[in-house]
Amino acid sequence: MKFELKNIHLWPVFKITFFVSTSIMLIILLLFGNQYISMLQSMSQFSNVDIGSINVGFFSFIFIAIAFGLNLAILGTVFCILYNLFSQWFGGYVVEFEGDWEIIDENEENKKIEESKDKENDSEAK
């Protein structure tokens, strides 16, 4: 059975990429933040600035993590737009599965479950 991926929805890609990349970058900055601040203080242009204070350091880490996440989310969304555009022109990514597969429509499956519950309720009422 073959399936073809022709369209990728943009908003879920943006949300997930932003959340995951921001979280990972924040964790990395919290783990290696001491080295980052000491490196900035060792540079000559930052030697006079008290960048090692907790407030400035923590808020800069949050800003850097959000900026990193936003950049990756925008980049991922642009790639999805390009994929959607090219898949309309040339066809999407084809995946082939082996074996016996049955495609189940969720609406029909939910209707069957509701009908079975209604039958159980009717039998209990009698």
Side-chain angles (χ1 to χ4, degrees):
M1 179 173 286
K2 291 184 181 182
F3 292 101
E4 183 175 3
L5 180 61
K6 289 188 175 187
N7 189 12
I8 300 174
H9 296 286
L10 302 178
W11 179 243
V13 170
F14 184 86
K15 279 191 310 190
I16 292 170
T17 306
F18 177 75
F19 177 73
V20 170
S21 59
T22 301
S23 301
I24 290 173
M25 188 62 168
L26 189 60
I27 290 170
I28 289 171
L29 286 174
L30 290 175
L31 290 175
F32 299 109
N34 243 355
Q35 289 87 1
Y36 177 70
I37 289 175
S38 64
M39 180 186 70
L40 285 178
Q41 287 178 340
S42 68
M43 298 171 137
S44 61
Q45 64 261 30
F46 292 111
S47 61
N48 297 335
V49 179
D50 184 23
I51 198 165
S53 68
I54 293 173
N55 292 337
V56 173
F58 183 72
F59 289 122
S60 66
F61 289 165
I62 291 175
F63 176 75
I64 290 170
I66 290 173
F68 180 78
L70 189 61
N71 284 334
L72 279 183
I74 290 171
L75 186 66
T77 305
V78 167
F79 282 135
C80 285
I81 290 170
L82 289 174
Y83 177 82
N84 290 341
L85 183 67
F86 289 131
S87 68
Q88 288 176 358
W89 292 342
F90 305 113
Y93 184 72
V94 177
V95 179
E96 185 173 346
F97 294 104
E98 293 182 10
D100 296 331
W101 292 88
E102 179 182 349
I103 298 176
I104 300 173
D105 186 15
E106 290 181 10
N107 293 330
E108 290 180 14
E109 190 68 26
N110 290 337
K111 287 178 186 176
K112 289 178 185 177
I113 292 171
E114 289 175 7
E115 288 173 1
S116 65
K117 287 181 181 178
D118 289 339
K119 287 180 184 177
E120 289 177 8
N121 291 339
D122 290 339
S123 65
E124 289 176 4
K126 290 180 183 181

